[in-house]
Amino acid sequence: MSYEHLNSKQQEAVRQIEGPLLILAGAGSGKTSTMTHRIAYMVEQGIRPWNILAVTFTNKAAKEMRSRVEDLIGDCRDMWIMTFHAMCLRILRVYPEVIGYQPNFVIYDTTDQKTLVKNILKEKGISDKEFSPQYLLAIISDCKEKGMDPEKYRQTMETNYKTKAVHMVYEEYQARLMKNNAMDFDDILLNCVRLFEKDEEALLKYQHRFHYIMVDEYQDTNHIQYKLVKMLAEAHHNICVVGDDDQCIYEWRGADIRNILDFEKDFPEAKVIKLEQNYRSKGNILAAAHSVIRNNHSRKSKKLWTEKDAGEKIKYYRAETDREEAAHVARQISWLQRQGRSYNDFAILYRTNAQSRLFEQTLSREAIPYRVLSGMRYYDRKEVKDMMAYMRLVVNPADDLSLRRIINEPKRGMGDKTVEKIQAFALVRGESMLMALCNKEVQDTLPGKAYEKVKAMVECLMECRSERENLRVSDIYDRLLVHTGYLKALEDSNTIEAEGRIENLMEFKTVIAEYESGAENPTIEEFMEQLTLAAEVDNYDESQETVTLMTMHSAKGLEFPVVFLPGLEDGLFPGNKAFDSGAGMEEERRLCYVGMTRAKELLFLSSAAERVRYGRTEYTRESQFLRELDKSLIEGDAVYQKKTGASSLGVSTGSWDGYAREPYKPFDSLKYARMETKASAGAGDADLAAGDKVSHPKFGEGLVIDGDGKTVTVAFDSAGIKKMAVGIAPLKKI
């Protein structure tokens, strides 16, 4: 077989088959081609296929690797090319009794896990509001990734009420799994390690079978995966790990960068080969990405290079506002498309899912086809659709479809049978389900645990409806978000997924704020009508060419001719939490590196001097990563630097004059927005009497002319006389 099409370093890696080998494969350096040719070379040298193990992370990657190997050497059915979970599952099916299982054990998915934990909480008398199933499962998963059983967790953690409850649930959860002859996904890996620890004969069998081991994406391995690989390689030390420490961006879900950084400590005789020639990007893109990533301390020394020309410089645009930033991106796409590029040449990669909304709206308005990958359209996200259903009920109480969607969102103890019974009541009475629920006789038929929550939801909806003419749309939204319990339920779940949902809900405040600022007479009815049109405006044929929108995390492993990286501002990218630790900032910097190296030909960076986040206008400072970037590689707007000498008046923020009114301090905008939402959802002044001067966010200043304790009549300077509910209308005494 000829290997002349591979470069010298790739050929060296292919032929180095004995002993430990670390292949540092930079972005776009031909990693998969090197790995598959290395396997083919082994077989060519007389190594039996069944002595080779190649492990990767996804079924897609494993399938592609197997396909490429078969193209090179033909049938390879005796070779193990699979994911970590598939490998462990195959081993566990042979020796289940060693770890206390029957051969027909089943695997529980996330839904099964949640149901099991809910049952345990109920039987133990523990409130699922105090300890939500998602929260407990996150702790259990973290323990398993670290190899901690319930007893080790109890010994390791400080003893208090919280840890006692977690230990109790964890212990019972594992006992139920064993009783049901079931494992969860974490157990598959952990039980394989325990099998090898308990049964030396089983370990020796697989150590002697797999003389040669290859591990892809080694920088993404966690503690258990690392331990598995080390145990299997102990006999022969013919282990090859392939990865790039500069692309370790999943530490938040268990990946441990130390595994790849400390490989030479685990195997002192290891040989290191760096694949630094890049086949993807133009020279300036690689140089720019390197000028950022070199600021990380926890990394192996390497620098990508290419035989391609330098190409165009990186384009940077500092927009006045986030809307102008989105419009700029759309203009660039339109112009380049007219120059002959296809829409599928373009990708917009952002740090958070909430950023997609403005780009979706702008691309739709400009008739540019797009699709959101590894995610969904902003208005199709569950939490947004839930809140739209609440708001539709304020406008139209007869909307049974919306009520059925949210009657148990958040959980209120309304089972299917109870909902069907309410529907039957409504049918008999000839009214909508919401109106039926307003009736005390119907409320009294509700299960005890549902009574108070459903009653509170109904009261909130009807109060918002009766006062909708006296409330801003934003006031109604805040009241629904807080008084229905929707926001609190997400906060209590304490998961990364819930944090993302909250962020999208706070971004929805921006949608409302933009509507209110532009409408002549903003009403919730008009807002919902506009929203419905906006949500349906971009239905498109998926077979057509489209611009791709996705997060930088989702883009890993992909490439595009033209890439846009928007939102390069401190607090957004890098995010606020990154400023709390050096390790956090380094992972954000690696994410920036991944985003930049997705571009093949053109790379556009942008930021906005003003950004509306969660309904508030923020004045931003350009990202630390922009300030680290080699300025000789950028064209377009200048990146502001901190002023020095006599002219230094403050800290540069990237604003047009280069200064902020106050020194910049990163803060948790999301937390601030939640607090603001809860505050604005609170009642107005209740202690009002005739003669009091008041202010109202919608109608301005006025004078109280009458009141009966429940309602108050106010004469407003500009809006005339209004009658409002005390404690609901947002009236503030002046």
Side-chain angles (χ1 to χ4, degrees):
M1 186 179 297
S2 173
Y3 301 95
E4 291 181 0
H5 62 287
L6 302 177
N7 66 43
S8 59
K9 287 296 181 181
Q10 289 175 328
Q11 290 185 37
E12 183 182 357
V14 164
R15 293 188 170 92
Q16 180 66 41
I17 58 177
E18 300 296 330
L21 173 63
L22 168 59
I23 301 177
L24 290 172
S29 61
K31 173 193 68 172
T32 305
S33 180
T34 302
M35 291 179 69
T36 52
H37 279 83
R38 188 173 187 270
I39 293 172
Y41 180 77
M42 289 182 193
V43 175
E44 194 176 58
Q45 297 302 305
I47 295 171
R48 292 177 296 180
W50 78 291
N51 287 141
I52 300 171
L53 168 66
V55 189
T56 187
F57 275 82
T58 66
N59 290 320
K60 181 181 177 183
K63 185 177 179 180
E64 181 182 355
M65 188 180 295
R66 178 174 290 277
S67 175
R68 289 205 196 184
V69 170
E70 287 178 342
D71 288 342
L72 293 172
I73 63 171
D75 181 35
C76 59
R77 70 184 67 181
D78 292 334
M79 194 183 300
W80 282 29
I81 302 177
M82 58 187 65
T83 64
F84 273 100
H85 285 88
M87 175 191 75
C88 293
L89 202 52
R90 186 176 291 191
I91 293 170
L92 289 171
R93 291 292 184 195
V94 180
Y95 298 95
E97 296 86 356
V98 176
I99 51 172
Y101 281 85
Q102 298 300 313
N104 62 336
F105 65 83
V106 296
I107 307 301
Y108 276 3
D109 62 17
T110 53
T111 302
D112 299 324
Q113 290 176 266
K114 287 179 183 177
T115 302
L116 183 56
V117 170
K118 283 179 181 178
N119 292 340
I120 293 171
L121 290 173
K122 185 177 179 181
E123 293 170 19
K124 298 290 184 183
I126 301 173
S127 170
D128 62 359
K129 297 295 178 287
E130 188 174 6
F131 295 96
S132 71
Q134 295 94 325
Y135 168 73
L136 292 166
L137 285 169
I139 293 180
I140 291 171
S141 179
D142 184 60
C143 287
K144 291 184 178 183
E145 285 184 356
K146 295 174 181 174
M148 294 171 57
D149 60 18
E151 183 58 26
K152 193 171 181 181
Y153 171 82
R154 186 187 65 79
Q155 295 172 358
T156 306
M157 304 301 291
E158 179 183 342
T159 302
N160 55 43
Y161 171 68
K162 174 185 169 183
T163 56
K164 281 182 179 178
V166 172
H167 171 256
M168 182 191 301
V169 173
Y170 186 11
E171 188 173 53
E172 184 63 23
Y173 174 78
Q174 286 305 109
R176 297 283 180 91
L177 285 175
M178 289 291 294
K179 180 176 179 294
N180 297 343
N181 196 33
M183 300 182 195
D184 61 24
F185 282 99
D186 292 312
D187 283 329
I188 296 173
L189 303 179
L190 185 58
N191 284 335
C192 195
V193 170
R194 289 175 175 164
L195 165 65
F196 289 155
E197 289 174 339
K198 285 186 176 184
D199 192 331
E200 186 178 359
E201 185 178 329
L203 175 59
L204 287 172
K205 171 185 174 180
Y206 289 101
Q207 282 180 341
H208 289 300
R209 169 168 183 169
F210 300 126
H211 292 198
Y212 300 88
I213 300 171
M214 294 181 68
V215 184
D216 190 17
E217 303 287 4
Y218 192 63
Q219 78 279 351
D220 292 335
T221 53
N222 61 26
H223 174 73
I224 292 298
Q225 290 161 335
Y226 159 80
K227 197 169 183 178
L228 267 171
V229 170
K230 201 165 184 294
M231 293 173 87
L232 287 171
E234 201 64 43
H236 300 284
H237 280 211
N238 295 326
I239 177 172
C240 168
V241 299
V242 186
D244 182 7
D245 51 304
D246 288 338
Q247 296 187 74
C248 180
I249 58 174
Y250 296 117
E251 286 191 293
W252 51 273
R253 68 183 189 195
D256 190 345
I257 194 172
R258 291 174 300 177
N259 293 346
I260 193 167
L261 295 178
D262 294 344
F263 182 77
E264 294 155 277
K265 293 181 182 177
D266 296 326
F267 300 96
E269 73 275 29
K271 183 178 179 64
V272 179
I273 297 175
K274 300 177 183 179
L275 303 185
E276 297 173 292
Q277 183 174 356
N278 179 280
Y279 294 93
R280 175 188 299 155
S281 306
K282 297 281 189 178
N284 281 335
I285 294 172
L286 296 179
H290 179 73
S291 69
V292 174
I293 198 63
R294 69 183 177 186
N295 291 281
N296 271 6
H297 298 292
S298 299
R299 67 182 294 266
K300 300 279 189 179
S301 175
K302 57 187 172 301
K303 183 178 181 181
L304 293 179
W305 62 276
T306 182
E307 291 181 346
K308 296 185 177 192
D309 58 68
E312 296 187 34
K313 289 188 176 184
I314 285 73
K315 312 292 193 296
Y316 173 61
Y317 182 72
R318 177 67 167 172
E320 292 188 37
T321 67
D322 49 356
R323 298 181 71 85
E324 169 57 25
E325 180 188 36
H328 168 75
V329 170
R331 286 195 300 268
Q332 294 299 317
I333 291 173
S334 293
W335 187 82
L336 289 168
Q337 193 267 340
R338 289 196 299 271
Q339 304 306 306
R341 287 194 178 275
S342 301
Y343 281 124
N344 55 16
D345 283 350
F346 304 101
I348 303 173
L349 311 180
Y350 34 77
R351 178 62 182 86
T352 67
N353 274 310
Q355 288 173 258
S356 75
R357 180 184 63 84
L358 273 180
F359 292 102
E360 291 183 50
Q361 287 182 347
T362 306
L363 295 176
S364 295
R365 187 173 61 247
E366 299 298 325
I368 297 174
Y370 71 89
R371 57 180 173 172
V372 181
L373 294 187
S374 299
M376 60 186 73
R377 290 172 59 257
Y378 180 80
Y379 295 109
D380 285 341
R381 290 172 180 137
K382 178 188 179 300
E383 59 277 10
V384 176
K385 291 183 79 70
D386 286 347
M387 290 312 299
M388 287 170 65
Y390 274 113
M391 296 175 82
R392 277 198 298 270
L393 284 166
V394 172
V395 174
N396 177 24
D399 189 352
D400 283 355
L401 189 66
S402 289
L403 185 74
R404 288 187 69 93
R405 179 182 179 89
I406 53 86
I407 196 168
N408 220 28
E409 291 289 344
K411 299 298 182 187
R412 298 188 177 94
M414 293 288 286
D416 291 341
K417 289 184 178 179
T418 305
V419 174
E420 288 171 7
K421 185 166 66 174
I422 300 302
Q423 193 170 22
F425 272 125
L427 190 63
V428 170
R429 300 169 69 92
E431 55 190 15
S432 70
M433 292 177 68
L434 178 58
M435 298 313 295
L437 282 169
C438 291
N439 188 289
K440 190 176 186 307
E441 292 180 6
V442 176
Q443 290 178 2
D444 288 341
T445 66
L446 297 175
K449 60 182 179 180
Y451 177 83
E452 290 296 337
K453 292 179 180 177
V454 173
K455 183 181 177 184
M457 177 199 73
V458 170
E459 287 177 353
C460 178
L461 284 167
M462 298 314 292
E463 284 175 357
C464 288
R465 174 164 175 77
S466 64
E467 287 293 307
R468 67 188 185 282
E469 292 183 2
N470 299 325
L471 296 171
R472 296 175 301 176
V473 181
S474 53
D475 295 330
I476 294 172
Y477 179 75
D478 288 343
R479 290 186 69 82
L480 291 171
L481 201 56
V482 174
H483 293 303
T484 62
Y486 199 96
L487 180 60
K488 187 177 186 302
L490 287 173
E491 290 177 328
D492 289 346
S493 68
N494 196 31
T495 64
I496 292 173
E497 180 187 7
E499 194 75 4
R501 292 188 185 280
I502 292 171
E503 188 162 303
N504 286 328
L505 290 172
M506 293 301 129
E507 177 66 9
F508 199 59
K509 286 171 67 71
T510 302
V511 179
I512 296 171
E514 289 174 354
Y515 162 72
E516 289 179 331
S517 65
E520 185 176 336
N521 181 32
T523 64
I524 188 170
E525 288 86 356
E526 183 186 67
F527 174 70
M528 294 307 297
E529 182 178 312
Q530 288 191 12
L531 204 60
T532 302
L533 293 174
E536 296 175 354
V537 73
D538 58 342
N539 291 330
Y540 61 90
D541 184 351
E542 292 186 359
S543 66
Q544 295 178 352
E545 293 182 348
T546 58
V547 175
T548 300
L549 279 68
M550 64 198 312
T551 64
M552 278 175 266
H553 278 104
S554 300
K556 186 170 178 285
L558 302 178
E559 59 184 38
F560 304 89
V562 184
V563 168
F564 294 86
L565 299 186
L568 282 162
E569 303 141 21
D570 282 348
L572 180 58
F573 189 40
N576 287 312
K577 291 182 180 179
F579 290 89
D580 296 337
S581 70
M585 183 61 76
E586 294 212 348
E587 178 157 6
E588 288 282 285
R589 192 177 283 113
R590 291 193 293 270
L591 186 58
C592 182
Y593 175 79
V594 167
M596 295 175 75
T597 53
R598 298 312 94 195
K600 297 167 69 176
E601 299 170 27
L602 294 175
L603 175 61
F604 291 81
L605 310 178
S606 60
S607 64
E610 292 181 16
R611 183 173 297 277
V612 181
R613 297 185 74 195
Y614 323 128
R616 300 177 62 251
T617 298
E618 298 177 2
Y619 299 92
T620 74
R621 179 171 71 175
E622 287 165 318
S623 170
Q624 177 170 326
F625 304 145
L626 280 173
R627 303 195 297 276
E628 293 171 354
L629 204 150
D630 185 344
K631 304 305 177 292
S632 68
L633 301 170
I634 305 176
E635 67 179 20
D637 290 337
V639 177
Y640 283 92
Q641 301 295 316
K642 183 178 180 180
K643 302 292 191 294
T644 58
S647 63
S648 181
L649 303 175
V651 177
S652 166
T653 65
S655 57
W656 296 115
D657 62 358
Y659 294 97
R661 293 171 185 166
E662 297 177 3
Y664 175 81
K665 294 180 181 178
F667 61 93
D668 189 344
S669 300
L670 184 56
K671 182 179 178 182
Y672 186 96
R674 292 186 212 174
M675 293 169 60
E676 189 179 59
T677 294
K678 291 177 180 178
S680 64
D685 287 337
D687 184 20
L688 295 173
D692 287 340
K693 195 171 184 180
V694 295
S695 67
H696 187 282
K698 183 175 181 180
F699 303 132
E701 294 185 359
L703 186 70
V704 177
I705 57 176
D706 193 17
D708 60 8
K710 293 184 178 180
T711 62
V712 63
T713 303
V714 182
F716 289 100
D717 299 339
S718 59
I721 296 176
K722 300 283 184 182
K723 191 172 184 179
M724 302 180 172
V726 173
I728 297 176
L731 291 169
K732 298 296 179 186
K733 190 186 297 185
I734 300 177

Short mmCIF file of all heavy atoms in Angstrom, two decimals, residues 390-421:
data_model
loop_
_atom_site.label_atom_id
_atom_site.label_comp_id
_atom_site.label_asym_id
_atom_site.label_seq_id
_atom_site.Cartn_x
_atom_site.Cartn_y
_atom_site.Cartn_z
N TYR A 390 -49.04 30.49 27.65
CA TYR A 390 -49.58 31.27 28.78
C TYR A 390 -50.12 32.61 28.29
O TYR A 390 -51.21 33.04 28.68
CB TYR A 390 -48.48 31.51 29.82
CG TYR A 390 -48.31 30.40 30.83
CD1 TYR A 390 -47.16 29.62 30.86
CD2 TYR A 390 -49.30 30.14 31.78
CE1 TYR A 390 -46.98 28.61 31.79
CE2 TYR A 390 -49.13 29.13 32.72
CZ TYR A 390 -47.97 28.37 32.72
OH TYR A 390 -47.83 27.37 33.65
N MET A 391 -49.35 33.28 27.45
CA MET A 391 -49.75 34.61 26.98
C MET A 391 -50.97 34.54 26.06
O MET A 391 -51.82 35.43 26.06
CB MET A 391 -48.57 35.30 26.28
CG MET A 391 -47.41 35.57 27.23
SD MET A 391 -45.94 36.24 26.44
CE MET A 391 -46.39 37.98 26.35
N ARG A 392 -51.08 33.47 25.29
CA ARG A 392 -52.26 33.29 24.44
C ARG A 392 -53.53 33.14 25.28
O ARG A 392 -54.61 33.60 24.92
CB ARG A 392 -52.09 32.08 23.53
CG ARG A 392 -51.29 32.36 22.27
CD ARG A 392 -51.51 31.30 21.22
NE ARG A 392 -51.06 29.99 21.66
CZ ARG A 392 -49.82 29.51 21.47
NH1 ARG A 392 -48.93 30.25 20.83
NH2 ARG A 392 -49.49 28.33 21.91
N LEU A 393 -53.40 32.47 26.45
CA LEU A 393 -54.56 32.30 27.33
C LEU A 393 -55.00 33.63 27.94
O LEU A 393 -56.18 33.82 28.24
CB LEU A 393 -54.24 31.29 28.43
CG LEU A 393 -54.23 29.82 27.98
CD1 LEU A 393 -53.58 28.94 29.02
CD2 LEU A 393 -55.66 29.35 27.70
N VAL A 394 -54.06 34.54 28.15
CA VAL A 394 -54.42 35.87 28.64
C VAL A 394 -55.26 36.58 27.58
O VAL A 394 -56.23 37.26 27.89
CB VAL A 394 -53.16 36.69 28.98
CG1 VAL A 394 -53.52 38.14 29.29
CG2 VAL A 394 -52.41 36.07 30.16
N VAL A 395 -54.88 36.40 26.32
CA VAL A 395 -55.61 37.02 25.22
C VAL A 395 -56.91 36.28 24.93
O VAL A 395 -57.95 36.89 24.69
CB VAL A 395 -54.73 37.05 23.95
CG1 VAL A 395 -55.51 37.57 22.76
CG2 VAL A 395 -53.49 37.91 24.18
N ASN A 396 -56.86 34.94 24.98
CA ASN A 396 -58.00 34.12 24.57
C ASN A 396 -58.21 32.95 25.54
O ASN A 396 -57.62 31.88 25.37
CB ASN A 396 -57.78 33.59 23.14
CG ASN A 396 -58.90 32.68 22.69
OD1 ASN A 396 -60.01 32.75 23.18
ND2 ASN A 396 -58.59 31.81 21.73
N PRO A 397 -59.04 33.12 26.57
CA PRO A 397 -59.27 32.05 27.56
C PRO A 397 -59.93 30.81 26.97
O PRO A 397 -59.96 29.76 27.62
CB PRO A 397 -60.22 32.72 28.58
CG PRO A 397 -60.08 34.18 28.35
CD PRO A 397 -59.78 34.34 26.89
N ALA A 398 -60.43 30.88 25.74
CA ALA A 398 -61.09 29.73 25.11
C ALA A 398 -60.10 28.79 24.45
O ALA A 398 -60.49 27.78 23.87
CB ALA A 398 -62.11 30.21 24.08
N ASP A 399 -58.80 29.12 24.54
CA ASP A 399 -57.77 28.33 23.86
C ASP A 399 -57.44 27.09 24.68
O ASP A 399 -56.48 27.05 25.45
CB ASP A 399 -56.53 29.20 23.65
CG ASP A 399 -55.48 28.52 22.77
OD1 ASP A 399 -55.65 27.32 22.46
OD2 ASP A 399 -54.50 29.19 22.40
N ASP A 400 -58.25 26.03 24.52
CA ASP A 400 -58.03 24.78 25.27
C ASP A 400 -56.71 24.12 24.93
O ASP A 400 -56.09 23.45 25.77
CB ASP A 400 -59.17 23.81 25.01
CG ASP A 400 -60.44 24.17 25.79
OD1 ASP A 400 -60.38 25.12 26.59
OD2 ASP A 400 -61.47 23.50 25.59
N LEU A 401 -56.27 24.27 23.68
CA LEU A 401 -55.01 23.65 23.26
C LEU A 401 -53.85 24.22 24.07
O LEU A 401 -52.99 23.47 24.55
CB LEU A 401 -54.78 23.90 21.77
CG LEU A 401 -53.62 23.13 21.13
CD1 LEU A 401 -53.89 21.64 21.12
CD2 LEU A 401 -53.38 23.63 19.72
N SER A 402 -53.83 25.54 24.26
CA SER A 402 -52.77 26.16 25.05
C SER A 402 -52.85 25.74 26.51
O SER A 402 -51.83 25.51 27.16
CB SER A 402 -52.85 27.69 24.94
OG SER A 402 -52.47 28.12 23.65
N LEU A 403 -54.07 25.63 27.03
CA LEU A 403 -54.22 25.23 28.43
C LEU A 403 -53.70 23.82 28.65
O LEU A 403 -53.00 23.55 29.64
CB LEU A 403 -55.68 25.32 28.87
CG LEU A 403 -55.86 25.02 30.37
CD1 LEU A 403 -55.38 26.18 31.20
CD2 LEU A 403 -57.30 24.68 30.70
N ARG A 404 -54.03 22.92 27.75
CA ARG A 404 -53.56 21.54 27.90
C ARG A 404 -52.04 21.49 27.85
O ARG A 404 -51.42 20.63 28.48
CB ARG A 404 -54.16 20.64 26.81
CG ARG A 404 -55.64 20.36 27.01
CD ARG A 404 -56.11 19.33 25.99
NE ARG A 404 -55.56 18.02 26.26
CZ ARG A 404 -56.14 17.09 27.00
NH1 ARG A 404 -57.32 17.33 27.54
NH2 ARG A 404 -55.58 15.92 27.19
N ARG A 405 -51.42 22.41 27.10
CA ARG A 405 -49.95 22.42 27.02
C ARG A 405 -49.32 22.81 28.35
O ARG A 405 -48.30 22.23 28.76
CB ARG A 405 -49.48 23.39 25.93
CG ARG A 405 -47.97 23.46 25.83
CD ARG A 405 -47.46 24.44 24.79
NE ARG A 405 -46.01 24.45 24.80
CZ ARG A 405 -45.23 23.65 24.07
NH1 ARG A 405 -45.79 22.81 23.22
NH2 ARG A 405 -43.92 23.70 24.17
N ILE A 406 -49.92 23.81 29.05
CA ILE A 406 -49.23 24.37 30.21
C ILE A 406 -49.86 23.99 31.55
O ILE A 406 -49.35 24.37 32.60
CB ILE A 406 -49.15 25.91 30.11
CG1 ILE A 406 -50.53 26.54 29.87
CG2 ILE A 406 -48.19 26.30 29.02
CD1 ILE A 406 -51.33 26.81 31.09
N ILE A 407 -50.96 23.23 31.53
CA ILE A 407 -51.63 22.93 32.80
C ILE A 407 -50.72 22.18 33.76
O ILE A 407 -50.87 22.24 34.97
CB ILE A 407 -52.95 22.15 32.55
CG1 ILE A 407 -53.82 22.21 33.81
CG2 ILE A 407 -52.66 20.71 32.11
CD1 ILE A 407 -55.23 21.73 33.60
N ASN A 408 -49.74 21.46 33.21
CA ASN A 408 -48.79 20.73 34.07
C ASN A 408 -47.36 21.18 33.81
O ASN A 408 -46.42 20.43 34.00
CB ASN A 408 -48.93 19.22 33.84
CG ASN A 408 -48.84 18.45 35.14
OD1 ASN A 408 -49.17 18.96 36.21
ND2 ASN A 408 -48.36 17.22 35.06
N GLU A 409 -47.21 22.44 33.34
CA GLU A 409 -45.88 23.02 33.09
C GLU A 409 -45.77 24.33 33.86
O GLU A 409 -46.34 25.33 33.43
CB GLU A 409 -45.66 23.28 31.60
CG GLU A 409 -45.53 22.05 30.76
CD GLU A 409 -44.21 21.31 30.98
OE1 GLU A 409 -43.28 21.91 31.55
OE2 GLU A 409 -44.15 20.14 30.60
N PRO A 410 -45.13 24.36 35.02
CA PRO A 410 -44.39 23.26 35.65
C PRO A 410 -45.32 22.22 36.28
O PRO A 410 -46.54 22.41 36.30
CB PRO A 410 -43.58 23.98 36.73
CG PRO A 410 -44.44 25.14 37.10
CD PRO A 410 -45.06 25.60 35.82
N LYS A 411 -44.74 21.15 36.81
CA LYS A 411 -45.53 20.05 37.34
C LYS A 411 -46.45 20.54 38.45
O LYS A 411 -46.03 21.20 39.39
CB LYS A 411 -44.62 18.95 37.90
CG LYS A 411 -43.68 18.33 36.86
CD LYS A 411 -44.46 17.64 35.76
CE LYS A 411 -43.53 16.97 34.75
NZ LYS A 411 -44.25 16.45 33.58
N ARG A 412 -47.76 20.20 38.29
CA ARG A 412 -48.75 20.62 39.29
C ARG A 412 -49.57 19.43 39.80
O ARG A 412 -50.60 19.61 40.44
CB ARG A 412 -49.69 21.67 38.70
CG ARG A 412 -48.99 22.95 38.27
CD ARG A 412 -49.99 24.03 37.88
NE ARG A 412 -49.32 25.27 37.55
CZ ARG A 412 -48.96 25.65 36.32
NH1 ARG A 412 -49.22 24.84 35.29
NH2 ARG A 412 -48.36 26.79 36.12
N GLY A 413 -49.13 18.21 39.47
CA GLY A 413 -49.87 17.04 39.93
C GLY A 413 -51.13 16.76 39.15
O GLY A 413 -52.05 16.11 39.65
N MET A 414 -51.20 17.27 37.92
CA MET A 414 -52.38 17.05 37.07
C MET A 414 -52.13 15.88 36.12
O MET A 414 -51.51 16.04 35.07
CB MET A 414 -52.70 18.32 36.27
CG MET A 414 -53.16 19.49 37.12
SD MET A 414 -54.82 19.24 37.77
CE MET A 414 -55.81 19.49 36.30
N GLY A 415 -52.62 14.70 36.50
CA GLY A 415 -52.48 13.54 35.64
C GLY A 415 -53.44 13.58 34.47
O GLY A 415 -54.35 14.42 34.41
N ASP A 416 -53.25 12.66 33.53
CA ASP A 416 -54.09 12.63 32.33
C ASP A 416 -55.57 12.45 32.67
O ASP A 416 -56.45 13.08 32.06
CB ASP A 416 -53.64 11.51 31.40
CG ASP A 416 -52.29 11.79 30.77
OD1 ASP A 416 -51.88 12.98 30.76
OD2 ASP A 416 -51.64 10.84 30.30
N LYS A 417 -55.86 11.61 33.67
CA LYS A 417 -57.25 11.36 34.04
C LYS A 417 -57.90 12.62 34.60
O LYS A 417 -59.07 12.91 34.32
CB LYS A 417 -57.34 10.22 35.05
CG LYS A 417 -57.02 8.85 34.45
CD LYS A 417 -57.22 7.74 35.47
CE LYS A 417 -56.94 6.37 34.83
NZ LYS A 417 -57.10 5.27 35.82
N THR A 418 -57.14 13.37 35.40
CA THR A 418 -57.68 14.60 35.98
C THR A 418 -57.96 15.63 34.88
O THR A 418 -59.00 16.30 34.89
CB THR A 418 -56.69 15.19 37.00
OG1 THR A 418 -56.38 14.21 37.98
CG2 THR A 418 -57.28 16.41 37.68
N VAL A 419 -57.03 15.74 33.93
CA VAL A 419 -57.22 16.68 32.82
C VAL A 419 -58.44 16.30 32.00
O VAL A 419 -59.23 17.16 31.60
CB VAL A 419 -55.95 16.73 31.93
CG1 VAL A 419 -56.20 17.60 30.70
CG2 VAL A 419 -54.76 17.28 32.72
N GLU A 420 -58.60 14.99 31.76
CA GLU A 420 -59.77 14.52 31.00
C GLU A 420 -61.07 14.84 31.74
O GLU A 420 -62.09 15.18 31.14
CB GLU A 420 -59.65 13.02 30.75
CG GLU A 420 -58.57 12.66 29.72
CD GLU A 420 -58.31 11.17 29.65
OE1 GLU A 420 -59.07 10.40 30.30
OE2 GLU A 420 -57.36 10.77 28.96
N LYS A 421 -61.03 14.74 33.08
CA LYS A 421 -62.22 15.03 33.89
C LYS A 421 -62.58 16.52 33.80
O LYS A 421 -63.76 16.88 33.66
CB LYS A 421 -61.95 14.64 35.35
CG LYS A 421 -63.17 14.78 36.25
CD LYS A 421 -62.96 14.07 37.58
CE LYS A 421 -61.85 14.72 38.38
NZ LYS A 421 -61.73 14.13 39.73
#
